[in-house]
Amino acid sequence: MRSASTEHPSSERPQRPDAPAARNTPLTTLDRVPWGDIQDSTGSAAGIPLLLNGIAGDDADTARSALDDLRKRICQFGFVVEQATAATVPFLWELAKLPQVTCRAQIIRLLKNIADARQWESTAAVYPKLLNHRENPVVWERAARQAVRARRGELGRLMADQDGEIARATTELARSLGA
């Protein structure tokens, strides 16, 4: 009978010397969200993890393109949120904090757009029957705004960023959040 090695606990894997260092990325929890079960503006939100990984990547052009695509899926026209928006927001906050992400200021502006979104609420005020639909976009909009507000503790660190564009975008976001 062989005994288990005590060198590495079973939940830990030894790091090979030639293996790349683990990236400081929040995207390790992407698989915890049931993306295929929720909707973005294109239908299934199953493509969102690929876009978030593209934003986190090293190539600035790919990151910018992925962010543009993501924006169209979760905050069309800068003010129409979708069911998948609230689930995406925590990942956007994490990406905004990572210095290696090349489009941080644009991510912060997207967070501001989400925080300011009132399209569905405005529509429901004029057309209250919207609130009776099985898929209630007013609920999505409120959840998305709440997801942005829930991480407002990150604002101070981002406002102090050495990059003036990031600091300005964060200051605008803070104003929108009343922080």
Side-chain angles (χ1 to χ4, degrees):
M1 176 181 205
R2 288 178 39 181
S3 63
S5 167
T6 57
E7 187 176 340
H8 298 286
S10 62
S11 63
E12 232 180 79
R13 291 199 135 159
Q15 192 74 1
R16 294 188 339 221
D18 60 336
R23 281 182 57 171
N24 178 20
T25 179
L27 303 180
T28 57
T29 61
L30 275 174
D31 61 347
R32 294 183 187 165
V33 177
W35 298 107
D37 296 338
I38 57 178
Q39 301 288 310
D40 64 19
S41 68
T42 66
S44 171
I48 288 180
L50 182 62
L51 294 172
L52 288 166
N53 279 312
I55 295 166
D58 297 331
D59 182 64
D61 291 335
T62 299
R64 215 172 12 261
S65 177
L67 183 60
D68 287 344
D69 287 348
L70 181 68
R71 179 185 311 274
K72 291 173 191 166
R73 287 174 168 244
I74 66 164
C75 192
Q76 276 192 329
F77 314 113
F79 58 86
V80 180
V81 301
E82 300 292 336
Q83 183 182 28
T85 306
T88 308
V89 166
F91 298 105
L92 292 172
W93 271 110
E94 292 301 321
L95 290 170
K97 294 185 323 183
L98 295 174
Q100 70 268 24
V101 173
T102 59
C103 53
R104 293 168 61 211
Q106 293 83 0
I107 293 169
I108 295 165
R109 286 190 193 100
L110 175 55
L111 289 168
K112 180 188 180 306
N113 290 148
I114 294 167
D116 290 343
R118 301 279 187 292
Q119 176 65 27
W120 294 117
E121 280 184 353
S122 298
T123 302
V126 176
Y127 185 68
K129 289 183 180 183
L130 179 66
L131 299 173
N132 298 329
H133 290 155
R134 187 175 60 89
E135 293 183 0
N136 187 336
V138 175
V139 172
W140 305 341
E141 194 172 71
R142 289 177 182 156
R145 287 195 315 260
Q146 180 54 39
V148 175
R149 270 192 235 97
R151 301 285 293 270
R152 65 183 171 265
E154 313 285 349
L155 291 169
R157 179 176 163 215
L158 289 168
M159 281 192 285
D161 198 279
Q162 296 296 322
D163 184 322
E165 185 179 9
I166 291 169
R168 280 188 299 280
T170 305
T171 300
E172 292 171 17
L173 174 58
R175 278 191 213 118
S176 285
L177 297 175

